[in-house]
Amino acid sequence: MKTFLKILLTALAVIVLANILPGISVAGYVSAIIVAVVISLLNMFVRPLLIFFTLPATIVTLGLFLFVINACIILLADKLVDGFAVSGFWSALFFSILLSIFRSALFSLLKEDKKSLK
């Protein structure tokens, strides 16, 4: 249930960012949900491989190359989903940074309060 909510919150963030940012467009709500699922799957399977193969560049740039990897994931999602369009690399980079911020803020709402046992 929590995974389904995270996908819906990511879709909401995609819709909001597509309306705010120039160069990003989403055809509708269904496309946004598909984009959220595709980005989640790409982050799960492709991102670790990209991080492994670009580890020297990530170490040299002190982790800043991870932003480039995130932008590549967004561009790959653009190619895989028909109703989602990104105009270029810089739009994808800015979108990925803002999407990470939005997702962190929205996912913090789902955190459960852990009560300490005394």
Side-chain angles (χ1 to χ4, degrees):
M1 182 67 179
K2 207 170 218 186
T3 305
F4 183 69
L5 248 89
K6 285 184 177 184
I7 288 176
L8 287 179
L9 288 175
T10 302
L12 176 70
V14 167
I15 290 171
V16 169
L17 289 175
N19 288 329
I20 294 173
L21 294 175
I24 308 291
S25 65
V26 177
Y29 296 112
V30 175
S31 295
I33 293 172
I34 294 171
V35 167
V37 170
V38 167
I39 288 174
S40 297
L41 290 174
L42 289 173
N43 280 335
M44 193 181 313
F45 296 112
V46 177
R47 189 170 190 256
L49 291 173
L50 289 176
I51 290 173
F52 176 74
F53 288 125
T54 61
L55 192 61
T58 304
I59 291 171
V60 168
T61 61
L62 302 174
L64 292 176
F65 195 74
L66 293 174
F67 289 123
V68 174
I69 291 173
N70 288 342
C72 290
I73 294 292
I74 299 298
L75 289 172
L76 190 57
D78 170 32
K79 300 296 181 199
L80 294 174
V81 179
D82 287 332
F84 180 60
V86 179
S87 64
F89 175 78
W90 295 108
S91 296
L93 181 68
F94 197 52
F95 178 79
S96 70
I97 291 170
L98 289 178
L99 184 65
S100 297
I101 293 169
F102 269 56
R103 286 178 62 175
S104 296
L106 291 173
F107 290 174
S108 69
L109 299 174
L110 294 178
K111 299 268 184 189
E112 295 177 2
D113 293 330
K114 294 183 179 178
K115 297 179 182 178
S116 61
L117 299 174
K118 290 183 180 181

